[in-house]
Amino acid sequence: QSVLTQPPSASGTPGQRVTISCSGSSSNIGRNTVNWYQHLPGTAPKLLIYNNNQRPSGVPDRFSASKSGTSASLAISGLQSEDEADYYCSAWDGSLNGYVFGTGTKVTVL
Amino acid sequence: QVQLQQSGPGLVKPSQTLSLTCAISGESVSSKTAAWNWIRHSPSRGLEWLGRTYYRSKWSNNYAVSLKGRITINPDTSKNQFSLQLNSVTPEDTAVYYCAWEGSDALNVWGQGTMVTVSS
């Protein structure tokens, strides 16, 4: 059972901006850094954002993220067809002593 | 560059033990800055973190609360790999299982995934 809450879906036309929210609590997002993962069907998830807002090498700057209090958000600007995927937020939970993932958001490019 | 290669059976009978291995290249399983994780994905539950093992001054583990008592993650320093054992499996454990390298508090590199079906 996921501890972090995300909207089940988001969509936009090519070139638009899409944002995904991630709501947690004081035991996870409130005290630890947030990471975001992109999951394309049939492939392994890929780290998209780490440490709240940092992009690993090779991730386009169209992807950005922020964190405030017990919530976080991911933004995709200049939406492209290859951005169609499931997106998950994640954080360490100090009460559970483990990582927790969000419920996942399916992004569709119309 | 860290790479992970998973191996193990894709079909397990109910009540038996699921066993998977993750071979590491480009880093040592005994690294004091890394941790070695297992995660699974199913359409109904999304991504679910299962547990991890790591070495600092000694070996330690963290496990998902929902799996405690059924799960064991062990390092194998002689082969530079780590393993997952999940006991008493049910069809609910059917999922794609991934291993992952954790560095700087993020799951940076993932294995290719293993589809495991629990069925008689």
Side-chain angles (χ1 to χ4, degrees):
Chain A
Q1 191 166 347
S2 298
V3 173
L4 306 181
T5 303
Q6 300 177 232
S9 62
S11 62
T13 56
Q16 277 191 329
R17 175 184 169 94
V18 167
T19 61
I20 300 167
S21 61
C22 174
S23 177
S25 70
S26 58
S27 64
N28 42 66
I29 294 178
R31 72 172 71 167
N32 296 306
T33 59
V34 178
N35 304 314
W36 290 87
Y37 300 91
Q38 180 189 57
H39 192 197
L40 292 158
T43 69
K46 169 189 167 185
L47 178 64
L48 198 64
I49 297 284
Y50 68 98
N51 194 17
N52 301 326
N53 55 19
Q54 301 299 302
R55 285 186 307 277
S57 173
V59 173
D61 59 6
R62 304 185 291 103
F63 294 93
S64 62
S66 63
K67 170 185 144 177
S68 178
T70 59
S71 294
S73 65
L74 173 72
I76 311 172
S77 58
L79 194 65
Q80 298 182 6
S81 57
E82 59 258 38
D83 298 334
E84 272 209 348
D86 294 324
Y87 293 83
Y88 293 88
C89 57
S90 179
W92 183 264
D93 190 296
S95 295
L96 298 174
N97 222 22
Y99 279 108
V100 290
F101 284 99
T103 47
T105 298
K106 183 175 183 60
V107 169
T108 302
V109 181
L110 302 171
Chain B
Q1 176 178 342
V2 178
Q3 292 185 315
L4 304 174
Q5 181 67 38
Q6 298 177 218
S7 59
L11 180 64
V12 182
K13 289 182 167 47
S15 80
Q16 294 194 341
T17 297
L18 180 161
S19 296
L20 297 173
T21 298
C22 184
I24 305 163
S25 58
E27 180 60 283
S28 169
V29 70
S30 303
S31 165
K32 292 187 177 181
T33 60
W36 307 97
N37 293 252
W38 286 97
I39 305 99
R40 66 184 179 186
H41 176 267
S42 62
S44 59
R45 305 215 301 242
L47 288 174
E48 180 183 7
W49 179 81
L50 305 180
R52 68 178 186 176
T53 189
Y54 59 93
Y55 183 80
R56 299 296 181 257
S57 56
K58 63 173 183 172
W59 286 101
S60 298
N61 295 92
N62 300 112
Y63 296 128
V65 171
S66 61
L67 297 175
K68 262 185 182 165
R70 287 208 296 140
I71 184 173
T72 305
I73 297 175
N74 281 325
D76 182 342
T77 57
S78 65
K79 295 182 179 178
N80 203 37
Q81 63 187 31
F82 63 109
S83 64
L84 167 69
Q85 287 196 308
L86 188 62
N87 302 326
S88 305
V89 296
T90 72
E92 290 274 296
D93 295 310
T94 293
V96 180
Y97 286 75
Y98 297 98
C99 59
W101 164 56
E102 176 191 351
S104 302
D105 299 326
L107 302 175
N108 298 277
V109 174
W110 297 58
Q112 80 276 22
T114 302
M115 177 67 215
V116 178
T117 301
V118 178
S119 174
S120 54

